[in-house]
Amino acid sequence: MNKTRLAFWGAALCALAGAAVMLVPQGKVRGFDVDAFGHLPVLEGGRVKPVDTVARNALLMIRSQQSFRHEGRTIGADEWLLDVLFRPEVADEQKAFVINDPQVLGLMHLQQTGDRYYAFKTLRPFVEEIQRQGEQAQQVDPKQRTPFQNAVANLYDRVFLYLRLENTVQLAQTPGLAWELASLGTPEAATRRAALSEAAYFRPFVSSAASTNDAWQSAGEALDAAARGRSSPQLVAWARMSLAYRAGDPASFDRAAAEALAAAGAAQPGLVAQSGHELVFNRAQPFYVGMVVYVLALLAVFVSWLWRPEWLRPAAYGLLVAGAVIHTAGLASRVVLQGRPPVTNLYSSAVFVGWGAVLLGAVLERIYRKGFGTAVAAAAGFASLIVAHHLTGDGDTMEMMRAVLDSNFWLGTHVVTITIGYSGTFLAGALAIAWTVRRHLLRGGGDPATSKAIMGMTYGVVCFALFFSFLGTVLGGIWADQSWGRFWGWDPKENGALLIVLWNAIILHARWGGYVRERGIMAMAILGNVITSLSWFGVNMLGVGLHSYGFMDKAFWALSAFIASQLAIMVFTVLPPRFWEAGAFSRAAKPSSAPAAGK
Amino acid sequence: MPKPSELRSTLWDALTSLKLTIACMAALMVLVVACTLAQVRLGTFGAVDAYMHRWVVWWDVPGSPWSFPIFPGGALVGAVLAVNLFAAQLRRLELAWRKAGLWIVHAGLILLVAGEFVTGLYQVETRMAIQEGASANFVESPRQSELVVVDTTDPASDDVYGVPESLLARAGEIPIPGTPVTLRIHGYYPNAALSMRQASDPPAAATAGVGTSVAVRELPPVSRDEETNAPTALVEPIAGGRSYGTWLVSSLLGAPQGFTHEGRTYQLVVRPRRIYLPYTVTLKKFRHDVYPGTNIPKNFSSLVHLSNPSKGEERDVLIYMNQPLRYEGKAFYQASFGNNDTLSILQVVQNPGWLLPYVSCVLVTLGLLVHFAITLRRSMRRQAATRAAAAAPAAVEAST
């Protein structure tokens, strides 16, 4: 085996082995089999999912993290949810809430400190005030809210979610589910059961009823059924889990959790396997791992330009391929779990854009073998996964599709093609940025052959992007014609797609006509980044139109900063040769020196 | 002074130039951006009307009656682009197999622009709102209103005479065909607000009906998608040389107002403009499904019965998301609902050019595929040739 192959396979297999380590279960926590609890299937947001998903998303919404440190120990989402459900007095002591707004803190008579996290115990005396302020703020149109109103409305939502969780399986101020089950006939029991049904955040009890609407019951509803003499084995098992967890009896808890899982599986076969798959997916965190691998690939490419390229360039490519494999596996798992095409919301569009760019970049690297394909692909993959990571804050990323979007055919064609179009445009922009950076850092602007190769790649990718964005846009028009009777309604999102098509067409025609040369095309490709980011995220900030599936206002500054950075890079791109011929790393101007990279 | 032939060739050069293509596409980008931003202020309909469906974009000087043309409108840019595409195709692209892809692409694009023109000119969007169990044999315009004079004398059927808003705006006298009644228009407001008359208000212009106790305040017309105008008019019905007083009519007044002339009773109502259909649609069942345990809508559907006696058609149709009913040149879409899920609102669109984009899409996709396939093959060949030529020096570089 030669050096290149060895480096490629060595790096790729190391990265994949690292990813596989994530699949190992976390093991027992304080003796309790938390994984078995996380495996239990429940219904939340109209979708069957493992408790683990509910726990992770809830903690993500409340604390913006999936685990946290408390009293010298890391508390995972599942353990946190167990405490919230069964030991609320313990959960109330844990700092689960992140609060950044000084005015909201002031509302609770708190001064802002370095620690942004607060326990519910601290918030409890002000719950009524938070509700009053929050409800008031929520009546204001989201676009007109002040920062304080935004923050207090958000905190109110999170407090509400927390309180619902505490009262989902058993009411927080009562001895627990087992006691509830023992006192079904007492006078206040019916009132308590009604309160439980009202508060329930998820439905843990499944029957063998055919339709999903009737199959799932909240704790209150299941207790009602038990009061009528139809007690479910799952209810009994959950009651025992609650009792054992409170009592600190891991052996009984593990047995009860296994029984609850078995009982759910007995009610509807296939349920246990389904939630098990999602549990593994949650644990693997493929997009997080992919992000790390992409960064490693990027670093390897950078170092390869200065040191040992014969080893590091193939190693970087190996890392990129491993990242792409992990990324693909994650994407495929989502498709299988959700039973839908890969792009269903803003989050998944970011994941998919990155995936498309990585694949394209990997292909370019195969063709041109200069390390630039790897660098650009890894950077694009990393950036889009970071963007996706910041879009997860809204909770479940596999939410159900609203009526008009409930069409796998159109999600699979229009949405996927248009997103590939975004990928292509971004990749062309990234290549152009790489071209610019190279030109300014290397002496003499680097060797002309590589410049020409990057130029060729950019041109090819723009063609690719034009094809997919045009096709996606027209398919979108046809979907619109199918669903609300107009092929083209000049809706902001449609207009954004049209801008991308027009811009790519302008780049190609300008090149064919010979009106722009290398620098011009590169600058235009970078402006493509600006246009794509605007049509991807910017139009959602206008708050008008029919594509309101991903309204967002938080990202405004991030988007502005991105656009400013692209415009700044464009200035460097168009600078004539005399600005870069010297090269950033050479003191004396030696335009005629050797073209080989940074010696 | 250039010769006519020179002038012709200069014009031909300009018309077929690639620069014109690029300029048109750039202008279209500017228009699209402006139109998108304007939607926040004007609503989609208003913005599209101001930027896209016009030949020229006008700038109204604030606080003055003047307006200046500042930019070519969408229609002009589209037309120039289509002509340019067509002309350039004729002149520059030779009829060769290696250009086949581009030929197909440009034919498809011309068709796409043509389709948008057909849509802009001929598309009619209306709505049909039906209560469960009820029938409708007409569609309503969401933006235009009409003043109708209804002869309600016969309890079995009403005779309806409609006066469109455009006629009301022209003022003067309007004879109602088929009746002895002539309407004299005393005032017309495209949009107005009504309130109960206070002592401080000027005397009412109306002399009969509810209008005598109502004050009218004229409002600027709105164009935002979620707002509607309230057209209001002052009319004086005259029949047989006799005046029946001046009446205030408005879309805001729910209850019908009427007068009797020679034993026949006439009512005056302002309502959305209706277009009657030669068939009837009956709503049998409206469904609004949600995902369990949430308020997220899963599906909306209307089960309707279509009855067209002239063609002997009697059948049930299920209209649901992404599945319109296409019938007699109109397409019925599930658009909205109301009244506690018992009222279904269908969007009804008539567009003779609806198929053009489909054809165009197929053509352009095919053309681009063909073209890029040809280009890719050529570039692969060139690449292989360069690699073969560069093999020796590359090996040297790798070993340093």
Side-chain angles (χ1 to χ4, degrees):
Chain A
M1 196 180 266
N2 65 20
K3 267 193 282 193
T4 310
R5 286 223 174 138
L6 192 65
F8 174 84
W9 285 107
L13 291 177
C14 279
L16 289 176
V21 170
M22 296 292 287
L23 293 170
V24 179
Q26 53 180 323
K28 303 211 167 185
V29 176
R30 293 185 287 120
F32 293 96
D33 188 358
V34 175
D35 278 306
F37 169 72
H39 191 167
L40 292 170
V42 298
L43 185 86
E44 191 269 313
R47 183 169 81 81
V48 178
K49 51 183 93 165
V51 166
D52 181 63
T53 302
V54 175
R56 283 172 190 267
N57 289 336
L59 193 54
L60 202 57
M61 278 189 269
I62 294 175
R63 197 186 145 106
S64 302
Q65 286 173 339
Q66 294 199 349
S67 61
F68 57 95
R69 301 283 295 175
H70 179 68
E71 293 177 352
R73 237 164 36 79
T74 298
I75 303 214
D78 292 333
E79 187 188 357
W80 169 77
L81 184 64
L82 270 172
D83 283 331
V84 172
L85 294 178
F86 301 134
R87 293 198 305 177
E89 70 285 354
V90 174
D92 288 353
E93 300 278 333
Q94 297 167 349
K95 293 182 168 180
F97 285 83
V98 57
I99 303 173
N100 290 318
D101 189 277
Q103 290 196 51
V104 169
L105 289 172
L107 192 69
M108 296 181 293
H109 314 171
L110 294 171
Q111 205 170 345
Q112 195 164 34
T113 61
D115 187 10
R116 304 181 293 141
Y117 301 103
Y118 298 87
F120 184 68
K121 186 186 63 176
T122 319
L123 273 61
R124 187 188 291 284
F126 305 98
V127 164
E128 278 182 24
E129 180 63 9
I130 293 170
Q131 174 173 10
R132 202 173 65 80
Q133 300 283 349
E135 281 176 352
Q136 209 174 348
Q138 283 178 351
Q139 282 166 5
V140 182
D141 179 24
K143 278 189 290 177
Q144 328 240 294
R145 283 181 202 161
T146 62
F148 166 74
Q149 285 173 328
N150 258 326
V152 80
N154 177 273
L155 180 63
Y156 169 53
D157 280 340
R158 293 183 290 148
V159 166
F160 192 57
L161 166 65
Y162 184 82
L163 286 172
R164 283 183 71 187
L165 279 173
E166 281 199 341
N167 295 289
T168 290
V169 177
Q170 55 193 35
L171 290 182
Q173 271 81 36
T174 62
L177 187 60
W179 170 77
E180 201 74 61
L181 204 51
S183 51
L184 285 172
T186 54
E188 293 88 28
T191 325
R192 285 201 305 272
R193 291 200 295 268
L196 266 176
S197 305
E198 176 81 21
Y201 180 66
F202 59 87
R203 302 178 182 204
F205 306 110
V206 61
S207 69
S208 51
S211 86
T212 337
N213 279 338
D214 317 324
W216 290 89
Q217 289 183 320
S218 65
E221 289 157 354
L223 283 164
D224 274 334
R228 290 194 302 271
R230 282 182 287 126
S231 179
S232 103
Q234 294 165 58
L235 191 60
V236 177
W238 276 75
R240 298 230 315 274
M241 264 194 321
S242 153
L243 214 55
Y245 192 77
R246 279 197 80 85
D249 177 358
S252 310
F253 176 84
D254 294 357
R255 242 177 299 139
E259 274 168 38
L261 192 62
Q268 279 197 6
L271 217 51
V272 174
Q274 187 192 341
S275 68
H277 292 152
E278 187 165 337
L279 185 67
V280 172
F281 173 77
N282 287 348
R283 212 184 278 145
Q285 302 195 33
F287 303 128
Y288 176 72
V289 176
M291 202 149 84
V292 174
V293 176
Y294 288 143
V295 170
L296 293 177
L298 199 58
L299 290 177
V301 177
F302 286 159
V303 178
S304 82
W305 285 330
L306 303 171
W307 186 69
R308 302 244 162 176
E310 72 280 11
W311 284 101
L312 283 174
R313 193 181 290 166
Y317 190 55
L319 286 172
L320 179 77
V321 171
V325 168
I326 299 165
H327 200 157
T328 310
L331 212 57
S333 313
R334 272 184 61 94
V335 170
V336 171
L337 287 172
Q338 214 179 354
R340 294 217 170 265
V343 186
T344 52
N345 51 19
L346 216 49
Y347 166 80
S348 49
S349 73
V351 170
F352 192 80
V353 163
W355 183 76
V358 167
L359 252 54
L360 265 176
V363 170
L364 290 180
E365 181 65 29
R366 284 285 299 166
I367 299 175
Y368 293 92
R369 297 170 197 268
K370 299 271 183 195
F372 277 96
T374 307
V376 168
F382 171 71
S384 68
L385 287 182
I386 281 276
V387 169
H389 179 76
H390 284 282
L391 293 171
T392 51
D394 302 337
D396 194 356
T397 61
M398 292 193 248
E399 77 246 298
M400 305 311 281
M401 306 304 299
R402 282 167 186 279
V404 76
L405 298 176
D406 185 10
S407 155
N408 278 350
F409 176 72
W410 290 113
L411 282 173
T413 51
H414 158 62
V415 180
V416 166
T417 38
I418 201 105
T419 318
I420 293 177
Y422 291 168
S423 298
T425 318
F426 274 130
L427 188 67
L431 282 168
I433 292 174
W435 181 90
T436 308
V437 170
R438 194 174 162 280
R439 189 146 256 220
H440 282 273
L441 289 190
L442 297 187
R443 221 176 291 158
D447 66 308
T450 309
S451 281
K452 204 159 167 252
I454 300 179
M455 170 73 195
M457 290 190 226
T458 311
Y459 171 71
V461 173
V462 170
C463 291
F464 176 89
L466 173 65
F467 174 72
F468 278 94
S469 48
F470 177 83
L471 183 64
T473 306
V474 177
L475 282 172
I478 291 179
W479 186 6
D481 184 60
Q482 294 284 321
S483 66
W484 53 76
R486 45 184 104 113
F487 172 77
W488 194 257
W490 302 104
D491 176 82
K493 201 78 185 177
E494 296 171 352
N495 291 351
L498 179 63
L499 287 178
I500 298 178
V501 174
L502 284 172
W503 185 243
N504 282 325
I506 288 179
I507 297 180
L508 293 186
H509 284 86
R511 181 182 180 272
W512 292 330
Y515 304 129
V516 288
R517 303 203 174 274
E518 214 171 1
R519 273 183 291 149
I521 290 175
M522 291 300 171
M524 288 172 96
I526 298 177
L527 193 64
N529 278 350
V530 173
I531 292 171
T532 313
S533 65
L534 279 176
S535 85
W536 189 10
F537 295 111
V539 292
N540 292 18
M541 295 172 191
L542 287 177
V544 288
L546 298 153
H547 289 74
S548 54
Y549 60 82
F551 178 72
M552 38 181 283
D553 49 359
K554 285 169 281 187
F556 178 77
W557 292 109
L559 185 65
S560 310
F562 174 74
I563 290 171
S565 73
Q566 301 301 302
L567 295 178
I569 295 172
M570 276 174 67
V571 173
F572 284 97
T573 310
V574 295
L575 286 180
R578 62 195 165 85
F579 284 90
W580 44 258
E581 265 166 354
F585 291 145
S586 60
R587 301 271 185 280
K590 280 191 221 157
S592 60
S593 68
K599 290 265 168 77
Chain B
M1 177 98 193
K3 275 185 259 169
S5 65
E6 272 174 33
L7 196 68
R8 209 158 44 226
S9 86
T10 318
L11 196 68
W12 183 237
D13 282 348
L15 206 59
T16 55
S17 79
L18 196 57
K19 277 187 184 150
L20 183 64
T21 318
I22 295 176
C24 280
M25 288 197 286
L28 203 52
M29 282 184 79
V30 172
L31 281 173
V32 168
V33 170
C35 172
T36 309
L37 293 178
Q39 289 186 20
V40 177
R41 192 166 42 88
L42 300 174
T44 306
F45 187 81
V48 171
D49 189 54
Y51 289 94
M52 292 300 169
H53 287 168
R54 298 270 180 94
W55 294 96
V56 173
V57 176
W58 295 86
W59 177 57
D60 297 321
V61 183
S64 80
W66 296 312
S67 45
F68 297 104
I70 47 163
F71 206 77
L76 184 60
V77 174
V80 172
L81 192 59
V83 170
N84 170 253
L85 271 175
F86 191 72
Q89 196 72 12
L90 284 185
R91 170 169 185 180
R92 204 157 334 108
L93 278 179
E94 72 267 49
L95 209 52
W97 277 114
R98 59 193 183 85
K99 298 282 179 190
L102 291 181
W103 273 95
I104 305 176
V105 170
H106 288 120
L109 287 177
I110 291 171
L111 209 58
L112 194 65
V113 176
E116 191 51 29
F117 268 94
V118 172
T119 303
L121 288 177
Y122 297 109
Q123 171 155 290
V124 183
E125 280 184 31
T126 49
R127 330 181 313 155
M128 178 184 261
I130 331 176
Q131 195 72 31
E132 252 178 12
S135 303
N137 63 345
F138 59 85
V139 290
E140 292 178 333
S141 163
R143 301 192 181 278
Q144 298 167 332
S145 299
E146 61 183 358
L147 168 65
V148 288
V149 182
V150 189
D151 183 346
T152 57
T153 319
D154 181 355
S157 71
D158 293 344
D159 290 324
V160 181
Y161 312 97
V163 181
E165 248 182 296
S166 53
L167 266 184
L168 289 182
R170 229 177 280 161
E173 294 196 350
I174 305 167
I176 305 296
T179 68
V181 182
T182 295
L183 291 181
R184 184 176 292 158
I185 312 298
H186 285 290
Y188 163 73
Y189 316 102
N191 191 17
L194 304 186
S195 57
M196 289 312 288
R197 232 167 65 75
Q198 307 297 316
S200 56
D201 283 324
T207 59
V210 71
T212 50
S213 55
V214 170
V216 183
R217 193 160 51 87
E218 188 171 4
L219 293 179
V222 293
S223 67
R224 287 190 65 119
D225 305 353
E226 65 274 17
E227 299 169 337
T228 46
N229 283 315
T232 300
L234 283 162
V235 297
E236 182 186 7
I238 299 164
R242 182 189 153 193
S243 164
Y244 283 91
T246 303
W247 300 73
L248 179 75
V249 290
S250 167
S251 63
L252 295 173
L253 297 175
Q257 317 179 68
F259 61 95
T260 307
H261 170 72
E262 290 175 356
R264 300 198 78 82
T265 307
Y266 297 95
Q267 286 185 344
L268 297 169
V269 183
V270 173
R271 65 181 189 194
R273 198 165 75 85
R274 286 185 183 180
I275 300 154
Y276 285 87
L277 307 171
Y279 46 91
T280 309
V281 178
T282 310
L283 180 65
K284 295 173 97 166
K285 177 80 195 144
F286 174 73
R287 282 184 66 95
H288 170 189
D289 303 329
V290 294
Y291 289 103
T294 68
N295 290 324
I296 306 173
K298 185 180 193 316
N299 188 36
F300 302 101
S301 67
S302 294
L303 179 64
V304 298
H305 181 78
L306 181 67
S307 160
N308 189 349
S310 67
K311 291 200 169 174
E313 261 190 277
E314 294 288 336
R315 60 182 166 114
D316 282 355
V317 182
L318 186 66
I319 299 171
Y320 55 99
M321 293 287 111
N322 301 321
Q323 201 62 71
L325 159 68
R326 292 195 192 273
Y327 188 71
E328 301 262 293
K330 287 189 168 61
F332 295 75
Y333 300 86
Q334 185 66 55
S336 186
F337 61 99
N339 257 5
N340 226 351
D341 290 352
T342 60
L343 176 80
S344 177
I345 298 172
L346 302 175
Q347 163 115 316
V348 185
V349 180
Q350 185 173 1
N351 179 7
W354 74 276
L355 258 179
L356 289 178
Y358 287 73
V359 180
S360 149
C361 167
V362 172
L363 283 180
V364 174
T365 309
L366 212 71
L368 283 175
L369 273 182
V370 170
H371 182 68
F372 289 143
I374 293 171
T375 320
L376 191 67
R377 211 177 65 162
R378 211 166 47 209
S379 119
M380 287 291 221
R381 274 193 198 151
R382 213 180 294 152
Q383 186 82 30
T386 352
R387 200 172 289 159
V396 172
E397 190 185 297
S399 66
T400 53

